[in-house]
Amino acid sequence: MPKDTGIGASSKRREDVRFLTGVGNYTDDLSLHAQTHAVMVRSTVAHGRIVKIDTARAAAMPGVLAVFTGEDFAAVGGNPAGWLINSRDGTPMREPKRPVLAHGKVRHVGDAYAAIIAETYAQAKDAAQALSDDTQIEELPAIVDMKAALADASNRVHDEIPDNLCFDWGWIEDNRAAVDAAMQAAPHKVTLELTNNRLVPNAMEPRASIGEYFPGTGDYKLTTTSQNPHLTRLLIAAFVMGIPENKLQVVAPDVGGGFGSKIYHYGEEALVLAAAKRLGRPVRWTAERTESFLSDAHGRDHVTKIELGCTKEGDILAIRTETHANVGAYLSNFSTATPTFLHGTLMSGPYKVPHVYVNVKAVFTNTAPVDAYRGAGRPEATYSLERVIDMMARELGLDPFEVRRRNLLTPDQFPYQSPVGLMYDTGNYQATLDKAVELGDVAGFEARRAASAAKGKLRGMGLSTWIEACGIAPSNLVGILGSRVGLYDAATVRVNATGNISVMVGAHSHGQGHETVFAQVVAEKLGIPESSVEIVHGDTAKIPFGMGSYGSRSLAVCGSAMDRAMDKIIAKGKKIAAHMLEAAEGDISFADGKFSVAGTDKAKTFGEIAFSAYVPHNYPLETLEPGLEETAFYDPANFTYPAGAYICEVEVDPDTGRVEVASFTCADDFGNVMNPMIVEGQVHGGVGQGIGQALLENTTYDENGQLLTGSFMDYAMPRADDVPFYTVDASCATPCTHNPLGVKGCGEAGAIGSPPAVINAVIDALHRGGITHVKHIDMPVSPGRVWQAINA
Amino acid sequence: MTKVSMTVNGKAVSAEAEGRTLLSAYLREGLGLTGTHIGCDTSQCGACVVHVDGKAVKSCSVFAMDVAGSEVRTIEGMANADGSLSVLQQAFQDNHGLQCGFCTPGMVMASAALLADNPKPTEAEVRHHLEGNICRCTGYHNIVKAVLAASGQDVPAVAAE
């Protein structure tokens, strides 16, 4: 019988009502007294030296209040990378300054080098055009292709970086010789070169920021579209502007999706704060969608060669990869962690592979920065691995399902130390694979294939068995690996005098439904109605601290902090109850919202204890402070390891090359599930994005560094008629062993597991249809690419 | 600037607008009705869909002046008279048809227009109709389910077809 409240219930989302009635509170919805409007002036060339910016005409235009250029920020700091990566030779990565506004050079189309502040948006826009016309930029050859960038030392994105190489990372370098030897000795070797296509995250709400300055106190306030307001505050305070943290409030109100792109601090946030101070008026900026395409951090963009050594029976012996990862023109905050520790550490997947070595060369180019996008490194690893394993099965004439079963770790092998540095705590990969086979009706495939064939379509089935690592931690380990931040999270549970609860959490919800799910978790543990719990997020003035939401970490890390804070609440409640009930503290138990004396019917409700804490008339004041509010910081002992099996069926039209996803089945292990409805929704969304990557989406720069896919007219977003209903299941749960809720994280799974399942299905369809010369097609498998492959 | 008047959600309203003021800007900035969202600049995303004289239109592709005197309905005018969610809005909540909520106003308005024309659409008709509305969160699954549910159809049965 499904529960109707608390953990495990599909509670309806409380946030929905405001979104469904048009009274949400997104950044651009705010309107402030005396507000002014900022428009960024962006480079129209990919690479150039700024010769002269003549601000006179723009500054004199109607309504213009201020013009900012890179010169205004020359003295302040740069926006840093959050992770220091060392190259194989031990040298640190090259880390060029990322200024608020480009100074000296522009390095990608869309690189902002000036900003106009005006009374109205239209006036600012007009002046921005004038300033663009009055700027002389000496155009330099654009560096777009990664391998060409490394080959030509004469042309540099950053003058101080001679070969455009950020780092050349080996994981694990000490294992390289052993991996090479194992590869050499393997009876069979499979080699695959593939591209993980560059994507634009395209959260539906464009980025927006509003800066305010209060001269009476010297306080700043930034309202911004952020997935983690505390990190934004930290970066602005400690690195970019030097504003004391206690003088800067960062608020991320309702945020319309993020998918990674709103984790990072962007220059516009510093700009609106500096402008607000100079003008003494609020300054607002909202991106046009074209600016999102040009200046949001993009995702993926790996070119990989993967080699797999195996026995003739399909036992994987060794895996070796060489990847070129595009970091774009500047290092976005997580851009160096994404292709390394979020990618190389996943390269053994859910399999028992003795030898794995990963090499990643990160390359600067004259393109927008590239950073974490839903999955972040893990989709790239999964795609490489799941494609090459399918290729192995095909070359050896083995069944791809059986090949995976042969290599999957078995439940008795946990905890498992992977050859690429991770310690998987728990899992049951056979169970999710069995479940996917059942739900996807693999047994009935042949009949469906025949039906497709009767319509002239080629039907194929593709599998991927994937794993990811979520909730990156512990902080001391990631510190050794180069992280410049901690990866804990925090929560304050405030029990009010009347017994209702406010929980201030460091995680940020921008679609995930934390306001609902976190309240379920609190209600379950404290035995109170969900409606008595309010979840507060997205405001540095209200919340102790937090590292925000990304990497499927919210519940695993922040939820655990919340759980720990509740433990403290219950412990204090027992002391209060012991006093009120005249019993020993050790005799008090807490269950179902009541503090009871063991073996008696004496009890106090949670509400009575809360009231007593704030009206402490009958209270142990000599030993206990009044009030009932506790904070916990939680630093996980390990990552969590969600895993699953995805089966995709496609129909390919051999005449046009058009691919249609006929069905998509997901069997996932997310550990314990707090709200099944929301978990399913997360998987749906991830799979939708994964199908988008596999079939539709591609970010294309031409040889001059011009973005050819700079709008929704040119960049193919998945639409309702591009996808089917999905079948999803999360019943094969092996709870995480090291966090109190036993949760693993579900936000990215769909985007990680789905692209290889789609592509494997397409190749399968072609082979079953007799088109056996096609070994691989790069994503997106558009009709044109498929048709060309068929007819090659 | 000219005073532009129309009826929005049953109320006579007027606000200043220039010739170039889009209906979306008129609603958001002129009237403070920020439920209508702007998600792109090429009339592709559909977050700004409203009803003008009963037809779904992308309010970013219409000048406010051109619809002066019209009956406009926005997401703020979709709830029942007593403030409770309409059948369609309730179906979106019941079926988890929204996550970040940003595309939701356009999805609801576009779906309402569909159901007004075609009270029992098929799954394919719903998907085709919503082609002009982009959602990045839901993979569309629960949006399509919500619209079918709001039409009174048995969703599992439709999905199984």
Side-chain angles (χ1 to χ4, degrees), chain A residues 547-570:
Chain A
M547 296 308 296
S549 289
Y550 44 84
S552 306
R553 71 192 297 276
S554 302
L555 198 55
V557 187
C558 190
S560 299
M562 206 167 66
D563 190 81
R564 291 278 172 86
M566 287 192 286
D567 285 340
K568 295 184 190 180
I569 293 282
I570 292 167

Side-chain angles (χ1 to χ4, degrees), chain A residues 457-461 648-664 691-692 694-696 721-724 755 757-766 777-790:
Chain A
K457 300 285 176 66
L458 308 178
R459 197 178 188 100
M461 179 165 53
C648 176
E649 283 187 30
V650 298
E651 277 188 340
V652 179
D653 183 333
D655 295 329
T656 64
R658 185 169 188 276
V659 177
E660 189 173 332
V661 175
S663 68
F664 204 101
I691 291 173
L695 297 187
L696 299 161
D721 57 358
D722 293 315
V723 293
V758 176
I759 302 304
N760 288 343
V762 171
I763 301 299
D764 184 63
L766 297 182
I777 308 174
D778 270 329
M779 300 188 289
V781 290
S782 59
R785 286 187 178 182
V786 174
W787 189 89
Q788 283 178 339
I790 291 172

Side-chain angles (χ1 to χ4, degrees), chain A residues 46-47 94-99 105-111 143 156-161 164 166 198 294 326-332 335 363-370 701:
Chain A
H47 192 194
R94 278 77 164 263
E95 189 176 4
K97 182 178 176 182
R98 186 181 183 193
K105 270 177 90 172
V106 288
R107 295 184 174 86
H108 65 91
V109 172
D111 199 2
I143 301 158
R156 302 172 181 182
V157 177
H158 295 275
D159 294 351
E160 68 277 21
I161 299 173
N164 299 307
C166 179
R198 183 175 180 126
L294 291 173
N326 198 339
V327 290
Y330 302 101
L331 295 181
S332 178
S335 62
V363 186
F364 290 104
T365 59
N366 292 120
T367 63
V370 181
Y701 286 91

Side-chain angles (χ1 to χ4, degrees), chain A residues 603-632:
Chain A
K604 291 284 178 190
T605 65
F606 189 80
E608 288 172 312
I609 296 298
F611 190 77
S612 177
Y614 287 93
V615 187
H617 295 166
N618 176 18
Y619 194 90
L621 285 168
E622 55 288 355
T623 54
L624 202 62
E625 294 171 8
L628 196 52
E629 172 171 326
E630 298 288 352
T631 295

